[in-house]
Amino acid sequence: MPGFELFGAEEKKEVQDVLDNGVLMRYGFDPMRNGHHKALELEKDLANRMQTKYAQVVSSGTAALTVALACAEIGAGDEVIMPTFTFVASFEAILSVGAVPVLCDIDDTLTLDPKAVEAAITAKTKAVMPVHMCGSMADLGALKAICDKHNLILLEDACQAIGGSYGGKPLGSYGDLGCFSFDYVKTITCGEGGGIITNSEKFADRAHKYQDHGHDHVGNDRGAESHPFLGYNYRLSELNAAVGIAQLRKLDSTLAKQKKNYTILRHSLEKIPEVTFRRVPETGVESYAFLNIFLPTEDLARKAHKALSTHGVDACFYWYDNNWHYYKKWEHLLEQKSLGKLSKEVQNGLQQNNRSFEASDAWMGRTISCLIKLNWTETEVNERGSKMVDAIKSIL
């Protein structure tokens, strides 16, 4: 999965362009640039690859979610439905615009359960945020139908699934807005960075202003630009964008490597009757960033995870006990541990998350996710598959 495994001459060339002209900031200093506008180039490439009209690059995946929410006019007291299984950035972004993250159960896709989503909708709900965790997607058709029915924004968090698709469309392009992370361990990395895609001219226009202090970017004098509305600093540097340009060009070959390695491991584990696999919605195609498996019980999943480690199989994750990715360890959210005082609307809204999520627990307690690396040789992948089979059989 990590794009840094494939760093090479292509990234060095793009970065050297920036160092040669000396302009590391995205905006201004045009006479010095020698025609290089790396962030702008990355945006054009991203929109083209994701088959959308517009793209905006920003400083992180968290920033991408924050900007997308703001562009959709989501703010004080509004509710955003999100899954119990995600990265903490999901609720951080929602809180950063003054809105309320509403946790919702997942199903065997390891993403939002559409039935649970519909049950969670209130008069305050403004958006549904499916998170395409570990390389695969939510049932976007069902979620879009729900959003259309209730006039809600569908915001895809595709930070862990770039390159996957649903209904023939790249993940991130199916909803009103889609977001990506380009941090160091993502399939495409800028070192640090993120991106937003949309087909909405309104959202795109808001995004390029909001991520740069509200600047309208009209004219050639940055100091004379006006500010149609408040914004913040979520700009991506030219150095980070340069790395991203080279990485995005490698996406198709990266996905092919992931699929090859994923397929070998899956075929190995399919020989074990007790092992089942995450459901990929009909018309969906994974990015193959992770191989996600279910054991029959939580106890067996815990034992299998430990056995994988003792058999020398690294990069396998048991998310049920994870501090970053599953709601059970989000004490700072559930107990509202904030340095600044949260608004009464947020304080009251967060109370609804202080409950159990049995449906999510039933799936996550049985789940093990295995990262798919890019630089494994075929021999190494086959050896890994054999070790995984031995490890799991040892606890059954």
Coordinates of all heavy atoms in Angstrom, one line a residue, residues 44 114 143 303 305 384:
K44 N -5.0 19.2 -11.7 CA -5.5 18.8 -13.0 C -5.3 17.3 -13.2 O -6.2 16.7 -13.8 CB -4.7 19.6 -14.1 CG -5.0 21.1 -14.1 CD -4.1 21.8 -15.2 CE -4.4 23.3 -15.2 NZ -3.6 24.0 -16.2
P114 N -26.4 0.9 5.6 CA -27.4 1.9 5.1 C -28.7 1.9 6.0 O -29.2 2.9 6.3 CB -27.8 1.4 3.7 CG -26.5 0.7 3.2 CD -25.9 0.1 4.5
L143 N -26.6 4.3 -0.1 CA -26.4 5.6 0.7 C -26.8 6.8 -0.1 O -27.4 7.7 0.4 CB -25.0 5.7 1.1 CG -24.5 4.6 2.1 CD1 -23.0 4.8 2.4 CD2 -25.3 4.7 3.4
K303 N -6.8 -14.9 18.8 CA -5.7 -15.9 18.8 C -5.0 -15.9 17.4 O -3.8 -16.1 17.3 CB -6.4 -17.2 19.1 CG -6.8 -17.4 20.5 CD -7.5 -18.8 20.8 CE -7.9 -18.9 22.2 NZ -8.6 -20.2 22.4
H305 N -4.7 -13.4 15.3 CA -3.8 -12.2 15.2 C -2.5 -12.4 15.9 O -1.4 -12.1 15.4 CB -4.5 -11.0 15.8 CG -3.7 -9.7 15.7 ND1 -3.3 -9.0 16.7 CD2 -3.3 -9.0 14.6 CE1 -2.6 -8.0 16.3 NE2 -2.6 -7.9 15.0
R384 N 4.6 -15.8 2.4 CA 3.7 -15.2 3.4 C 2.4 -15.9 3.5 O 1.8 -16.1 4.6 CB 3.6 -13.7 3.0 CG 2.7 -12.9 4.0 CD 2.6 -11.4 3.5 NE 1.9 -10.6 4.4 CZ 2.4 -10.0 5.5 NH1 3.6 -10.1 5.8 NH2 1.6 -9.2 6.2

